[in-house]
Amino acid sequence: MSDGKTGLQLRSLIKKSGELEISLVSVPVPEPGPDQVVVRVEASPINPSDLGLLVGAADMSTATASGTKDSPVITAKVPEAAMRAMAGRLDESMPVGNEGAGVVVKTGSSDAAKALMGKTVAMIGGGMYAQYRCLRAAECMPLPAGTKPAEGASSFVNPLTALGMTETMRREGHKALVHTAAASNLGQMLNKICLKDGIPLVNIVRSKEQADILHNIGAKHVVNSTAPAFMDDLTSALVETGATLAFDAIGGGRLAGQILTCMETAANKTAKVYSRYGSSVHKQVYLYGSLDPRPVELNRAFGMAWGVGGWLLFPFLQKIGPAEGAKLRQRVIAELKTTFASHYTRVVSLQEALQLSNIAIYGKRATGEKYLINPNKGA
Amino acid sequence: MSDGKTGLQLRSLIKKSGELEISLVSVPVPEPGPDQVVVRVEASPINPSDLGLLVGAADMSTATASGTKDSPVITAKVPEAAMRAMAGRLDESMPVGNEGAGVVVKTGSSDAAKALMGKTVAMIGGGMYAQYRCLRAAECMPLPAGTKPAEGASSFVNPLTALGMTETMRREGHKALVHTAAASNLGQMLNKICLKDGIPLVNIVRSKEQADILHNIGAKHVVNSTAPAFMDDLTSALVETGATLAFDAIGGGRLAGQILTCMETAANKTAKVYSRYGSSVHKQVYLYGSLDPRPVELNRAFGMAWGVGGWLLFPFLQKIGPAEGAKLRQRVIAELKTTFASHYTRVVSLQEALQLSNIAIYGKRATGEKYLINPNKGA
């Protein structure tokens, strides 16, 4: 339905009254500045990091649909206790969608911009759940010839996060990794990277099915956190790999503390002297997600040499600087159809993304249920 | 009762059967090697860090006394769930007492050792709850003339820990500090250091009495965690001071998370753009004690730029290296009777330290209840 002059854009709004409203608005397609291009967005994934902005702290079990088929509106209640954390975005209608890919349909006057005309590019920068996105040419990453937008839609968040994990491991002096929710798209990428680079990786999953997914792509160490022998299995894998750094997507509950406890037990198996402060081996868990919104519970049965903290891609990229970041991006492009290939359950339009039945599925953030939005689907 | 050839030494033993036994044993006074000296220990504090080794994970509500007046024995049960953490010390009779002071009564043949004969020295290295302690001359720190052993007994753990906090603050790029259990001996020292060095310090205490102690020594920011307005009071103090680093002696419960939450609120008061990941200001809490043995509970209402971790004096000293450590020790000696003066509730003998009535008091680790052991009291 787009005439190229206006386009639909998905917006998320949390009102001071405690109500979330997700809707589509029609916005003019901006005229690109000299260094800018306009991209017709054809693929943008719904990552857990997008859901944080899309639904915020709203309780989606209260969600209701209104509006029309072409212009659906979703509303839901934000629990009062969660409103404090929403203070910074109240009454501000926010575009959503961290990354995506599409075709450049209009360019500014600069050579760099003009060179992109007609090219399929990957983008990052927010506001991708929209039919058109205007951004600087330098912010577009041209995809190799023959790459479809759907294949390049997830070129940034997951690939760079996975590479950020192995890079953080090297920079902080660890030699192996632990990863949770390990059968996710991201987790599968991490396995491929680690297999290719010879990094021992301990995968923690929550079901036999997830374990099978990873075994099928060659994962060596997979432990199931719902198994009765979980702590022993994890400890054995940690002894074998020497992993003292974990990236945890779960966040809440006892898992981060259990990982530290098993790391400590593994470290003490080789310790020579008793110290009531525990081993002197530094054990680190970075929480990079929040699949479980409950509080983190740490029982501190792991000595004093430990840390737990937040980890985010963008601060990491800032820390390593643009030159190192460019190296990581080059690797992503080179291995886009192999190491960094993403898989989606469904491709939906903007309107379909606002159907309660779809929100119920992608809102679960469940492993293996990944949606891709094509804002120009059927347009 | 010491003849100078044997001396009493306090021992803590946790048996495989799950029983803690604290007792006094008579051990021969070692003949010092060329570089060693024998010190008659006259003062050794009971620090929280000593209690960890002294009683371990035992449930002291089950403690019973046996033995004789001269040779008392304390036994207590270690809860089964806590035995895993005790694995490294089972069936090993361990001397206790991190630091102390006394008089050198015998020396080895080296000049360095002989130069210490008759001197009052401060010591660190464990096993100080003993009538005699043999150690290397280089491990003794001679105290200025006129300093009593009781005045030099706490020359290491608390002073260097307090200095370690301000030093960590500088090294990790923070400009102000938060401290909990802030009216402790250590907390009072930290206030004196911060007042002297111009470092803004936010003190968190649990009662009006503790707040009064700190106000009386000139503390500017004191907030009471039991007050209904605690979170608001803390946030105001954090806005005023800009503190983004906390040292927490409590450990368990929600306090560490509350501090991070208030730091985040304070940071967002000056933030210009909404980020659903919270402020980009890194907020850090180091747990250096465990006054509350419950699990740490973090509700993560503080964005993604945060860390919680263990902090210990000795790894810190290793990290900064011997030259920097020596500078800190020199400052302690220079200000031993002012900034670094310690106060004790009671001075007890080794036998008195094993009376249930005394264990009930010092075992509480309560602010203002600090014991000093004089192993040669009445001897």
Side-chain angles (χ1 to χ4, degrees):
Chain A
M1 283 18 104
S2 173
D3 56 6
K5 292 190 175 148
T6 62
L8 290 176
Q9 189 182 61
L10 189 150
R11 293 286 185 85
S12 171
L13 168 69
I14 290 181
K15 301 176 183 170
K16 276 211 183 67
S17 58
E19 192 175 58
L20 165 73
E21 183 183 284
I22 313 175
S23 62
L24 304 180
V25 296
S26 181
V27 292
V29 176
E31 198 56 37
D35 292 326
Q36 292 184 316
V37 300
V38 172
V39 178
R40 187 179 67 230
V41 184
E42 296 186 10
S44 177
I46 304 181
N47 286 318
S49 51
D50 296 307
L51 286 170
L53 189 58
L54 183 66
V55 307
D59 174 1
M60 294 308 281
S61 72
T62 67
T64 56
S66 59
T68 64
K69 184 163 176 283
D70 283 346
S71 189
V73 176
I74 296 291
T75 52
K77 294 258 167 264
V78 180
E80 213 179 305
M83 282 296 283
R84 178 192 277 238
M86 298 292 106
R89 59 171 288 187
L90 292 184
D91 287 340
E92 206 176 318
S93 176
M94 312 194 76
V96 187
N98 280 319
E99 64 182 333
V103 177
V104 176
V105 293
K106 200 169 191 182
T107 79
S109 56
S110 72
D111 289 345
K114 282 195 283 187
L116 291 175
M117 188 64 199
K119 292 266 169 68
T120 299
V121 296
M123 307 169 279
I124 189 153
M128 298 298 165
Y129 298 166
Q131 294 186 308
Y132 296 94
R133 178 72 162 84
C134 180
L135 72 173
R136 288 193 298 123
E139 293 171 319
C140 294
M141 190 162 73
L143 294 169
T147 310
K148 293 176 194 138
E151 292 170 329
S154 296
S155 296
F156 291 94
V157 178
N158 278 352
L160 292 179
T161 300
L163 288 173
M165 292 174 181
T166 57
E167 196 59 30
T168 298
M169 180 199 79
R170 287 190 196 95
R171 286 168 185 254
E172 299 189 1
H174 303 273
K175 59 174 194 171
L177 279 176
V178 178
H179 188 227
T180 72
S184 64
N185 252 307
L186 174 63
Q188 295 180 41
M189 273 183 202
L190 185 61
N191 271 280
K192 290 179 200 163
I193 295 169
C194 288
L195 284 168
K196 197 160 183 175
D197 297 1
I199 298 168
L201 170 65
V202 179
N203 294 279
I204 300 179
V205 296
R206 284 174 290 186
S207 72
K208 166 123 189 7
E209 291 66 36
Q210 293 170 351
D212 290 344
I213 293 173
L214 292 176
H215 282 307
N216 285 341
I217 61 167
K220 287 199 182 68
H221 304 280
V222 185
V223 297
N224 185 338
S225 61
T226 65
F230 170 57
M231 296 291 279
D232 291 335
D233 294 346
L234 179 55
T235 303
S236 300
L238 294 171
V239 168
E240 247 178 277
T241 57
T244 47
L245 173 63
F247 284 89
D248 175 32
I250 311 289
R254 297 173 58 205
L255 185 58
Q258 288 175 320
I259 294 169
L260 290 170
T261 301
C262 293
M263 285 178 176
E264 176 72 3
T265 308
N268 282 331
K269 288 204 187 222
T270 52
K272 304 221 169 359
V273 214
Y274 173 70
S275 160
R276 84 142 194 110
Y277 294 115
S279 86
S280 58
V281 176
H282 184 77
K283 302 160 292 288
Q284 181 72 38
V285 177
Y286 285 118
L287 310 181
Y288 75 95
S290 191
L291 296 177
D292 183 338
R294 289 179 302 162
V296 181
E297 199 185 313
L298 305 170
N299 69 357
R300 283 177 301 148
F302 37 75
M304 291 294 279
W306 62 277
V308 172
W311 191 93
L312 272 186
L313 176 59
F314 293 101
F316 166 76
L317 290 175
Q318 279 193 329
K319 195 160 83 179
I320 67 171
E324 291 298 313
K327 281 188 208 163
L328 301 184
R329 282 195 300 277
Q330 280 155 20
R331 176 166 181 188
V332 174
I333 294 301
E335 302 173 30
L336 194 56
K337 294 190 185 183
T338 54
T339 315
F340 301 107
S342 283
H343 306 283
Y344 306 96
T345 326
R346 253 194 96 176
V347 180
V348 293
S349 67
L350 286 170
Q351 290 83 0
E352 288 165 338
L354 297 200
Q355 285 171 6
L356 288 175
S357 54
N358 283 323
I359 294 176
I361 298 171
Y362 66 69
K364 276 189 307 188
R365 306 167 195 218
T367 292
E369 292 287 6
K370 185 134 191 158
Y371 271 55
L372 188 69
I373 297 180
N374 177 354
N376 284 287
K377 182 184 174 190
Chain B
M1 275 31 96
S2 171
D3 54 9
K5 292 191 176 148
T6 63
L8 290 176
Q9 190 182 58
L10 188 150
R11 292 287 185 84
S12 172
L13 168 69
I14 290 181
K15 301 176 184 172
K16 277 211 182 69
S17 57
E19 191 174 58
L20 164 73
E21 182 183 284
I22 313 175
S23 62
L24 304 180
V25 296
S26 181
V27 292
V29 176
E31 196 59 34
D35 292 327
Q36 291 185 316
V37 300
V38 172
V39 178
R40 187 178 65 231
V41 184
E42 296 187 10
S44 177
I46 304 181
N47 287 318
S49 51
D50 296 307
L51 286 170
L53 189 56
L54 183 65
V55 307
D59 173 1
M60 293 308 280
S61 72
T62 68
T64 57
S66 59
T68 64
K69 184 162 177 286
D70 283 347
S71 189
V73 176
I74 296 290
T75 52
K77 294 256 166 264
V78 180
E80 212 178 306
M83 282 296 283
R84 179 191 275 237
M86 298 291 107
R89 59 170 288 185
L90 291 184
D91 287 341
E92 205 177 319
S93 176
M94 311 196 76
V96 187
N98 280 320
E99 64 181 334
V103 177
V104 176
V105 293
K106 201 169 190 180
T107 78
S109 54
S110 72
D111 289 347
K114 283 197 283 188
L116 291 175
M117 187 64 200
K119 292 265 169 68
T120 299
V121 296
M123 306 169 281
I124 188 150
M128 297 298 166
Y129 298 166
Q131 293 185 308
Y132 296 95
R133 177 71 161 86
C134 180
L135 73 174
R136 287 193 298 124
E139 293 172 318
C140 294
M141 190 161 74
L143 294 169
T147 309
K148 292 176 196 140
E151 292 169 330
S154 297
S155 296
F156 291 93
V157 178
N158 278 352
L160 293 179
T161 300
L163 288 173
M165 291 174 182
T166 57
E167 195 61 27
T168 298
M169 179 198 79
R170 287 191 197 95
R171 285 168 185 256
E172 300 189 1
H174 303 272
K175 59 176 198 172
L177 279 175
V178 177
H179 188 227
T180 72
S184 64
N185 252 309
L186 173 64
Q188 294 180 42
M189 273 182 202
L190 185 61
N191 272 281
K192 290 179 200 164
I193 295 168
C194 288
L195 285 168
K196 198 161 181 175
D197 297 0
I199 298 167
L201 171 65
V202 179
N203 295 278
I204 299 179
V205 297
R206 283 174 290 187
S207 72
K208 167 125 189 9
E209 292 66 37
Q210 293 169 350
D212 291 343
I213 292 173
L214 292 176
H215 283 305
N216 286 340
I217 61 167
K220 287 198 182 69
H221 305 280
V222 185
V223 297
N224 185 340
S225 60
T226 66
F230 169 58
M231 297 290 279
D232 291 335
D233 295 346
L234 178 55
T235 303
S236 301
L238 294 172
V239 169
E240 246 177 276
T241 57
T244 45
L245 173 63
F247 283 90
D248 174 30
I250 311 289
R254 298 174 55 205
L255 185 58
Q258 288 174 320
I259 294 169
L260 290 171
T261 301
C262 293
M263 284 178 176
E264 176 72 4
T265 308
N268 282 330
K269 288 205 187 223
T270 53
K272 304 219 168 6
V273 214
Y274 172 70
S275 160
R276 83 142 194 112
Y277 294 115
S279 86
S280 58
V281 176
H282 184 79
K283 303 160 292 288
Q284 179 72 37
V285 177
Y286 284 118
L287 310 180
Y288 74 94
S290 191
L291 296 176
D292 182 338
R294 289 178 302 161
V296 181
E297 199 186 313
L298 305 170
N299 69 356
R300 284 176 301 149
F302 36 76
M304 290 295 278
W306 62 277
V308 172
W311 190 93
L312 272 186
L313 176 58
F314 292 100
F316 165 76
L317 290 175
Q318 278 193 329
K319 194 160 83 179
I320 67 171
E324 291 299 311
K327 282 188 207 162
L328 300 183
R329 283 196 300 279
Q330 281 155 21
R331 177 166 179 187
V332 175
I333 294 300
E335 301 173 32
L336 194 57
K337 294 189 183 183
T338 55
T339 315
F340 301 106
S342 282
H343 305 284
Y344 306 96
T345 326
R346 254 193 95 177
V347 179
V348 293
S349 66
L350 286 170
Q351 290 82 3
E352 288 165 340
L354 296 201
Q355 286 172 5
L356 289 174
S357 55
N358 282 323
I359 294 176
I361 298 171
Y362 68 69
K364 277 188 306 190
R365 308 168 194 218
T367 293
E369 293 285 6
K370 184 136 191 157
Y371 272 53
L372 189 68
I373 296 180
N374 177 353
N376 284 288
K377 183 184 173 189

